[in-house]
Amino acid sequence: RSNVELTQNRKADARADAERAVAADPGSSAAYLSLSLVQQAEFDLDAALASARQAVELDPGNVRALVQESSLLFGMGRLKEAAKVAERARRQAPDDAMVNTIWGFLQLARNRVEDARETFQAAIAQDSTLGLPHLGLGLALFRRNQTEAAVAEMRKAALLEPKVSLYNSYLGKAFYEVKDDRRAQKYLDVAKELDPRDPTPWLYDATRRQTINRPGEALDSVEKSIELNDNRMVYRSRLLLDDDRATREATLARIYESLGFEPLAREKAAQSLSLDPTNYSAHRFLSDSYASRPGYEIARVSELLQAQLLQPININPIQPSLVATNLHTLARTGLTQMAFNEYMSLFERDQTQLYASGVGGNNGTWGDEVVVSGVNGPFSYSLGQFRYQTDGFRPNSDFQHDLYDVFIQAAVTPEFNVQAEYRHRQSDYGDLNFNFDGSFDPTSRDSLNEDIGRIGARYSVSPQNTLIASLIYADRDHPFSYLTENGEFRLKNQLEGWQGELQWLYKADSFNVITGIGVYQDEFSTLYLGEVFDEFPTDHKTAYGYTNVQLAKNIVATLGAAYDAYDSQYFSLNQFNPKIGLRWSITNHLALRAAAFEVVKRDLLVNQTVEPTQVAGFNQFFDDANGTSSKNYGIGLDARFARTVFGGLEFMRRDLDIPFGGGPGPFDFEKYQFDLSRAYLNWLVDRNWSVTLEYLYQGLTMQGGQFLRTTYPTQLDTSRLPLNIRYFDPSGFFAGAGATYVYQRMDYDAEANPAAVSG
């Protein structure tokens, strides 16, 4: 009776009868199996697993109980345990279709695609009326890039069990992957009708709509998916549901970014990482969203490094232009942006793809970027080339960059992943400094020759525990020259060093923990006429710990601390840096963020670190001078005024101690105060038009010091007011127009710099 009532969705009656069955015969394996099914339907997966294990203990030969236990473990992400239980079931019932089906999915999860295919085919031969093995076979064929046969198998699953929403969702996703949008929409709509509470078809439909240039409609779909996320509790553990929500939040952030709603996009990506710091797609998106923000180079490439270390085997390319810093390229030309198929490909398959983009303009400006990437079994790779050059807008402001990147990754096991990367850069440029009086050196020439090697690894001990490691070596030559009264003066700076980092990430139901250590060592040398006349060794060690705690359903707190030991030729710094942040969703339409933290700018060889780059959405790694100590305070308010109107305010203050001096003179810290304020309004006018308006203010005030005031302003205020309009047509055409008003004011210390003029 319990089983019948459960199929009729009469959960209360089903539980009552299952409990009566257990009471009537506590030694009945069948009774505990029925109770496990009821508990699963009530979203209590831990209790369901305990009952399934009791059923197996009472009757080790109960194959259905073994299948239930293995399925629950699989849904919780505990693959090794699930495989052991499934192996027991296979020994007892090698010809059982459901046993072979669960075994096939486990092989697929362990990247044993050929074994999975054979197992699914055996299950189909044993019972051709089941839809699930056809679905599994379709996924295995997709992995081998046999897309036509894969779609055919998924159609069989949907035909055999037409009332199962999940089969139609996967079939819709499969048609999306093979670029058949009409059928993709058809089956995703069927899935929504069959199970209005399932978030899966809404997520897939959001990705589909985004791809066909309908971000306004995609926004509706992904928000519905987030709203329905907890309805998957019958299949997934609470821990993995948080992973699901984090993935949906990252997708939402990507849609916001395409609409031009960048403040919302960054906040959603950061919010996704507070739910799941191992979500590689959220790290990758946050990195890309920083691409056009000045001063965020370290945060951008650090988030990219974390995404690379955490990602599974996938075909997403590594752009050389995204890994490098200080390129001075024009923002939003295509060379600094990537149009991925999606950030979390759920139907990864063996294939090779080519990405190419180019840009051209006046003053001899042109560039290109070409990346070949691919997946082959347990390996993925990416080969990229980037070139950008311009004559500049004034004499001697030309530059040229040539970058190359080679990346390979291997899944040794589903839990253990290794990768290696080699980068080469050659840059040549004139005087690119923007001095406040408009002056420049017409004779100055610089070049940069850089080689970087990196190896990394990720080991997922369990769904709760992940270890990542990164080791980077860099060798950099920086020759420069300029003319003097006595002729050309040439110097060459050289830097060689390495940095190693290790990080442990732990996830629980209501909190997560990130801890790590890092060592950064390098030696900077200056050569004149081929001889070394000065050397600057630096040794920096750090240790840190962060935790994101869900204090209530709508409140997430971040607590952390770091310790930095910085030792250079001229000064040493040992500092404890506390971190605290808070996210409070006051209502469904109003959220408050606040943070306070201290940071020491470490001596990063390639501006990359695996330490979290933000606290409650506030960036903590700015492009400051090495050894700079800063106290940072921020508060932000994000609001949704209507269904398609968003706005917010944000303020951040930074108190900086910048190391300056050394050599024959004294050493000291220059004190600055840096204020950043922002107000924004984002409006999705309709499904085709979006409007964004922002006000940005940056204020820099010298608080104390004797060195920098002789050449730099004591006060610098900059205000910007950008207005942008974007249009998206379902045909694929999109366009945008914008204008920015800029006002800047500066003051100098007249006594220290009598030649300067304020204005």
Side-chain angles (χ1 to χ4, degrees):
R1 283 203 306 270
S2 175
N3 292 344
V4 171
E5 288 156 353
L6 190 59
T7 62
Q8 297 172 344
N9 204 31
R10 294 158 53 194
K11 296 180 184 178
D13 294 337
R15 169 172 275 279
D17 277 326
E19 289 175 345
R20 289 191 189 100
V22 171
D25 184 0
S28 169
S29 176
Y32 274 100
L33 177 57
S34 294
L35 180 60
S36 174
L37 294 170
V38 172
Q39 290 165 330
Q40 180 182 4
E42 292 177 338
F43 310 143
D44 190 352
L45 298 193
D46 290 332
L49 179 60
S51 295
R53 284 176 164 169
Q54 182 66 21
V56 171
E57 183 178 337
L58 291 169
D59 181 6
N62 188 337
V63 175
R64 288 291 163 264
L66 289 168
V67 169
Q68 171 71 353
E69 181 183 358
S70 181
S71 299
L72 288 167
L73 289 168
F74 190 17
M76 294 176 175
R78 296 157 64 175
L79 298 183
K80 288 183 178 180
E81 296 174 73
K84 289 180 180 179
V85 176
E87 186 61 51
R88 288 175 57 191
R90 291 185 75 215
R91 287 196 297 267
Q92 294 190 34
D95 297 327
D96 186 285
M98 280 304 298
V99 169
N100 281 308
T101 297
I102 187 66
W103 183 253
F105 277 105
L106 285 165
Q107 297 309 298
L108 199 59
R110 297 160 79 179
N111 206 35
R112 298 174 180 174
V113 181
E114 193 59 30
D115 290 344
R117 184 186 64 80
E118 294 176 357
T119 305
F120 286 129
Q121 288 176 334
I124 292 169
Q126 289 150 6
D127 187 346
S128 61
T129 66
L130 290 175
L132 197 57
H134 285 284
L135 174 66
L137 180 57
L139 292 173
L141 292 170
F142 246 109
R143 190 69 176 84
R144 287 288 180 251
N145 205 26
Q146 300 174 25
T147 55
E148 186 175 342
V151 171
E153 290 299 326
M154 292 183 179
R155 295 191 76 169
K156 290 177 185 177
L159 288 170
L160 287 168
E161 300 182 55
K163 298 298 183 182
V164 179
S165 171
L166 189 66
Y167 296 165
N168 286 278
S169 291
Y170 272 56
L171 182 56
K173 182 67 163 61
F175 278 119
Y176 161 79
E177 290 286 338
V178 298
K179 307 292 191 294
D180 190 337
D181 183 68
R182 184 181 64 83
R183 286 191 173 93
Q185 180 179 357
K186 171 187 173 181
Y187 286 103
L188 291 174
D189 288 344
V190 169
K192 294 174 187 176
E193 292 176 5
L194 288 172
D195 188 354
R197 300 180 64 201
D198 185 3
T200 306
W202 293 97
L203 177 65
Y204 290 169
D205 199 34
T207 302
R208 182 188 71 84
R209 293 175 186 272
Q210 170 74 5
T211 304
I212 61 174
N213 202 40
R214 296 183 178 181
E217 298 174 25
L219 180 60
D220 293 336
S221 294
V222 75
E223 287 182 335
K224 184 68 174 179
S225 174
I226 292 172
E227 176 189 332
L228 296 172
N229 186 69
D230 283 0
N231 291 333
R232 294 191 69 198
M233 289 180 71
V234 69
Y235 306 112
R236 304 270 277 176
S237 70
R238 176 72 262 172
L239 178 66
L240 294 183
L241 277 171
D242 289 340
D243 294 354
D244 294 342
R245 183 176 179 87
T247 296
R248 286 159 169 67
E249 296 281 6
T251 306
L252 177 59
R254 177 168 152 251
I255 293 169
Y256 279 149
E257 195 273 341
S258 67
L259 290 168
F261 299 174
E262 293 183 350
L264 281 172
R266 282 188 288 272
E267 168 54 19
K268 283 299 178 184
Q271 185 176 343
S272 175
L273 291 174
S274 71
L275 293 170
D276 178 15
T278 67
N279 187 328
Y280 81 94
S281 58
H283 282 291
R284 182 65 190 265
F285 177 80
L286 189 58
S287 170
D288 290 352
S289 72
Y290 284 149
S292 60
R293 294 204 69 177
Y296 280 63
E297 294 270 45
I298 293 175
R300 178 178 62 80
V301 295
S302 293
E303 288 293 341
L304 178 61
L305 174 62
Q306 293 170 55
Q308 289 178 276
L309 290 169
L310 291 166
Q311 70 185 13
I313 297 298
N314 72 95
I315 202 168
N316 285 347
I318 304 300
Q319 287 176 271
S321 61
L322 288 183
V323 181
T325 59
N326 301 317
L327 293 178
H328 306 287
T329 56
L330 295 172
R332 306 201 173 283
T333 57
L335 289 176
T336 57
Q337 293 182 304
M338 174 63 78
F340 291 114
N341 178 31
E342 57 178 296
Y343 277 76
M344 66 299 176
S345 183
L346 303 178
F347 281 55
E348 199 66 80
R349 59 188 187 269
D350 290 354
Q351 60 177 321
T352 299
Q353 72 175 17
L354 173 69
Y355 167 83
S357 66
V359 63
N362 63 346
N363 295 325
T365 301
W366 68 275
D368 67 88
E369 188 159 41
V370 180
V371 186
V372 177
S373 61
V375 174
N376 186 3
F379 300 96
S380 63
Y381 60 89
S382 180
L383 310 173
Q385 168 269 329
F386 170 84
R387 183 182 178 88
Y388 188 91
Q389 69 178 51
T390 181
D391 293 338
F393 67 93
R394 70 183 186 198
N396 200 37
S397 64
D398 62 294
F399 63 87
Q400 177 178 308
H401 301 302
D402 288 287
L403 281 70
Y404 303 91
D405 188 279
V406 179
F407 173 81
I408 56 173
Q409 183 174 357
V412 182
T413 69
E415 297 81 21
F416 184 51
N417 205 294
V418 295
Q419 56 188 241
E421 184 176 12
Y422 169 72
R423 310 175 205 160
H424 175 74
R425 173 176 177 174
Q426 177 65 51
S427 297
D428 296 284
Y429 47 95
D431 185 0
L432 304 182
N433 291 321
F434 289 97
N435 297 321
F436 296 105
D437 59 0
S439 64
F440 64 93
D441 187 339
T443 67
S444 172
R445 300 301 301 177
D446 291 73
S447 61
L448 177 66
N449 191 348
E450 182 179 69
D451 291 286
I452 297 171
R454 181 182 70 83
I455 56 175
R458 170 181 56 83
Y459 180 50
S460 298
V461 184
S462 68
Q464 293 84 10
N465 293 275
T466 301
L467 287 170
I468 58 174
S470 172
L471 182 63
I472 300 176
Y473 169 80
D475 186 4
R476 182 181 304 133
D477 288 340
H478 180 196
F480 63 95
S481 64
Y482 55 89
L483 290 178
T484 68
E485 295 179 355
N486 299 320
E488 187 178 34
F489 182 76
R490 292 176 176 270
L491 283 178
K492 182 166 75 170
N493 292 330
Q494 289 183 332
L495 183 141
E496 183 179 11
W498 64 276
Q499 66 181 57
E501 296 181 275
L502 181 66
Q503 187 180 90
W504 170 59
L505 303 102
Y506 174 78
K507 299 184 296 180
D509 289 346
S510 58
F511 71 94
N512 54 68
V513 178
I514 308 164
T515 60
I517 57 174
V519 178
Y520 316 89
Q521 294 183 342
D522 62 63
E523 184 163 305
F524 181 86
S525 305
T526 301
L527 287 78
Y528 177 64
L529 299 177
E531 298 292 331
V532 176
F533 73 86
D534 211 347
E535 293 181 329
F536 307 90
T538 302
D539 188 320
H540 189 169
K541 298 180 177 65
T542 186
Y544 58 85
Y546 297 80
T547 181
N548 297 297
V549 183
Q550 190 159 0
L551 302 178
K553 185 177 181 180
N554 59 342
I555 300 177
V556 176
T558 301
L559 299 173
Y563 181 79
D564 289 273
Y566 188 98
D567 187 21
S568 70
Q569 180 176 356
Y570 295 117
F571 77 100
S572 296
L573 181 66
N574 294 279
Q575 183 169 306
F576 176 78
N577 302 299
K579 327 269 185 179
I580 185 170
L582 183 73
R583 274 191 177 88
W584 178 22
S585 299
I586 303 171
T587 69
N588 290 334
H589 304 293
L590 186 65
L592 175 70
R593 297 179 291 114
F597 49 88
E598 295 185 28
V599 182
V600 172
K601 167 62 170 65
R602 62 196 55 171
D603 190 20
L604 300 168
L605 287 174
V606 290
N607 284 334
Q608 290 183 297
T609 177
V610 300
E611 183 176 347
T613 65
Q614 49 83 30
V615 178
F618 294 94
N619 179 45
Q620 64 170 341
F621 292 131
F622 290 87
D623 301 337
D624 300 324
N626 289 339
T628 297
S629 174
S630 65
K631 294 181 173 65
N632 307 268
Y633 315 92
I635 186 167
L637 193 66
D638 302 290
R640 188 169 191 166
F641 302 113
R643 192 180 68 85
T644 59
V645 182
F646 308 84
L649 302 168
E650 183 178 282
F651 172 77
M652 187 174 184
R653 169 161 291 176
R654 309 186 64 226
D655 294 325
L656 307 174
D657 286 340
I658 304 174
F660 194 85
F667 178 85
D668 199 359
F669 282 90
E670 306 283 298
K671 296 184 179 297
Y672 274 83
Q673 179 178 287
F674 191 28
D675 291 335
L676 301 94
S677 301
R678 184 183 71 217
Y680 70 91
L681 184 67
N682 299 155
W683 180 24
L684 182 61
V685 181
D686 59 27
R687 293 186 173 185
N688 302 106
W689 291 89
S690 69
V691 177
T692 63
L693 177 66
E694 260 189 293
Y695 171 73
L696 301 163
Y697 168 79
Q698 293 179 324
L700 184 65
T701 305
M702 182 178 291
Q703 300 290 320
Q706 57 179 319
F707 295 102
L708 296 179
R709 66 175 59 245
T710 60
T711 53
Y712 289 91
T714 55
Q715 179 73 39
L716 176 63
D717 298 307
T718 306
S719 296
R720 289 184 291 157
L721 189 68
L723 171 66
N724 291 279
I725 301 173
R726 298 190 183 193
Y727 173 73
F728 307 89
D729 192 271
S731 66
F733 171 80
F734 59 92
T740 301
Y741 170 77
V742 180
Y743 174 79
Q744 189 172 68
R745 182 182 183 279
M746 68 199 79
D747 290 321
Y748 286 89
D749 186 332
E751 294 183 2
N753 192 346
V757 178
S758 297

